[in-house]
């Protein structure tokens, strides 16, 4: 493992100044799960490790003025998962985080660190993209907000510049009457990473037709995938099984898939067809549009 100095700034301004000076030579540490693995394997060799533990604002979970949930960069999966605020108003996020890896990992690993790692076989980016979440990136040059859907460029690649720090995730409030669901498909052990994950958000209008629809597929390729044209064509239509199946078929035809130890590219594509339909049905049920129906597994 490479020798490096550990620096623990007390303020955000200190962190940003360090990153501006060090650039690629510095690696930020919050939970440290990904950093520990990559240091031990020699994949990264930073001169400095910049710890965030003392930067108090990054450890906070709060509501913004517009009702958005603000998740600080220092918060672990477990802290977000167990938050009564998240469980009440963003239940699909709490459910998703509760099924990431195992409790030991969730106690240590941060949600923002997970997003910055940009591992293709990861659950949170898919759900957060479907919920319309944005990331705040800060540097001495200023701040910018980037949708989670645009943050990940490829496997382990993001739009973050070396002098930038992701300070928080902003998750907008769910629209009234909406339903959201996340389903993942694992071909190995219950604690293994998924071969596929699908997040769906449905928003009905007053007549019970589609006002807004979001479907994001993760773990099938190198980044979360969404197909806006397919979703736009569904607006104004009723939530019928035939439409949901047609959307699932369109996603299966459009999605980019990869082959690895978990599943072949062909098999992933077939599972996209199955799980997009299932996730949509569960989201529709949670919106109360299938009265008396039970949630599909």
């Amino acid at each position: 493992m490479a020798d490096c100095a550990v620096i623990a700034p007390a303020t955000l301004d200190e962190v940003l100044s360090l990153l501006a000076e060090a650039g690629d030579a510095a690696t930020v540490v919050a939970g440290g799960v990904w950093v520990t693995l990559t240091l031990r394997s020699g994949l990264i060799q930073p001169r400095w490790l910049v710890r965030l533990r003392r930067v108090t604002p990054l450890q906070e979970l709060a509501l913004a003025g517009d009702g958005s949930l603000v998740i600080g960069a220092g918060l672990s999966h477990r802290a977000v998962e167990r938050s009564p605020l998240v469980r009440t108003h963003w239940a699909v996020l709490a459910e998703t985080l509760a099924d990431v890896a195992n409790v030991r990992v969730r106690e240590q690993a941060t949600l923002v660190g997970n997003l910055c790692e940009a591992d293709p076989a990861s659950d949170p980016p898919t759900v957060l993209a479907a919920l319309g979440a944005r990331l705040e990136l800060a540097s001495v040059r200023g701040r910018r907000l980037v949708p989670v859907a645009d943050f990940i460029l490829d496997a382990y690649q993001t739009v973050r510049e070396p002098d930038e720090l992701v300070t928080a995730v902003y998750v907008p409030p769910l629209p009234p009457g909406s339903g959201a669901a996340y389903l993942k498909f694992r071909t190995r052990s219950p604690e293994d990473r998924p071969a596929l994950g699908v997040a769906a958000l449905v928003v009905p209008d007053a007549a019970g037709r589609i006002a807004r629809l979001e479907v994001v597929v993760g773990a099938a390729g190198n980044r979360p995938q969404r197909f806006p044209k397919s979703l736009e064509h569904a607006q104004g239509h009723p939530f019928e099984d035939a439409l949901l199946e047609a959307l699932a078929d369109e996603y299966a035809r459009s999605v980019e898939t990869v082959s690895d130890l978990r599943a072949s590219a062909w098999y992933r594509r077939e599972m996209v067809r199955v799980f997009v339909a299932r996730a949509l049905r569960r989201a529709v049920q949670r919106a109360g549009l299938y009265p008396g129906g039970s949630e599909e597994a």
Side-chain angles (χ1 to χ4, degrees), residues 158-217:
T158 73
V159 301
R160 187 183 71 84
E161 299 292 340
D163 67 335
E164 288 184 311
L165 176 73
V166 178
T167 59
V169 185
Y170 288 78
V171 188
L174 290 173
S178 63
Y182 176 69
L183 297 178
K184 65 180 179 180
F185 173 60
R186 290 170 287 202
T187 55
R188 301 173 73 182
S189 74
E191 292 186 351
D192 202 5
R193 300 189 299 170
L196 175 71
V198 178
L201 171 68
V202 301
V203 183
D205 61 18
R209 295 175 179 269
I210 298 173
R212 179 182 161 202
L213 192 63
E214 295 290 343
V215 179
V216 180
V217 174

Side-chain angles (χ1 to χ4, degrees), residues 76-294:
S76 69
H77 288 66
R78 186 75 164 157
V80 180
E81 163 202 335
R82 291 172 61 84
S83 162
L85 182 64
V86 177
R87 290 187 173 191
T88 300
H89 299 289
W90 290 272
V92 67
L93 179 58
E95 292 170 3
T96 300
L97 298 183
D99 200 25
V100 170
N102 57 63
V103 69
R104 296 184 300 278
V105 171
R106 297 197 300 273
E107 287 280 8
Q108 187 70 23
T110 62
L111 181 58
V112 166
N114 176 282
L115 295 169
C116 291
E117 180 187 359
D119 185 333
S122 185
D123 302 299
T126 304
V127 174
L128 289 169
L131 295 179
R134 296 180 295 171
L135 296 175
E136 181 182 64
L137 287 83
S139 70
V140 296
R141 297 177 283 112
R143 301 189 180 219
R144 60 180 176 138
L145 288 172
V146 177
V148 171
D150 299 329
F151 179 70
I152 298 174
L153 298 175
D154 206 338
Y156 309 106
Q157 296 180 27
T158 73
V159 301
R160 187 183 71 84
E161 299 292 340
D163 67 335
E164 288 184 311
L165 176 73
V166 178
T167 59
V169 185
Y170 288 78
V171 188
L174 290 173
S178 63
Y182 176 69
L183 297 178
K184 65 180 179 180
F185 173 60
R186 290 170 287 202
T187 55
R188 301 173 73 182
S189 74
E191 292 186 351
D192 202 5
R193 300 189 299 170
L196 175 71
V198 178
L201 171 68
V202 301
V203 183
D205 61 18
R209 295 175 179 269
I210 298 173
R212 179 182 161 202
L213 192 63
E214 295 290 343
V215 179
V216 180
V217 174
N222 288 335
R223 54 165 294 176
Q225 298 176 66
R226 175 181 179 270
F227 302 100
K229 289 185 178 180
S230 298
L231 301 175
E232 290 169 4
H233 292 159
Q235 291 183 2
H237 292 275
F239 291 96
E240 296 177 344
D241 278 341
L243 175 63
L244 305 187
E245 295 288 352
L247 280 169
D249 287 341
E250 286 190 44
Y251 262 69
R253 288 193 297 269
S254 303
V255 71
E256 294 181 5
T257 56
V258 297
S259 294
D260 58 22
L261 292 175
R262 295 177 189 85
S264 69
W266 173 85
Y267 191 65
R268 275 190 166 95
R269 187 177 302 278
E270 293 303 306
M271 290 301 100
V272 166
R273 179 175 287 106
V274 172
F275 276 81
V276 166
R278 287 184 181 179
L280 280 168
R281 287 195 186 97
R282 178 169 290 187
V284 169
Q285 289 164 354
R286 289 182 169 181
L289 298 176
Y290 284 165
S294 60

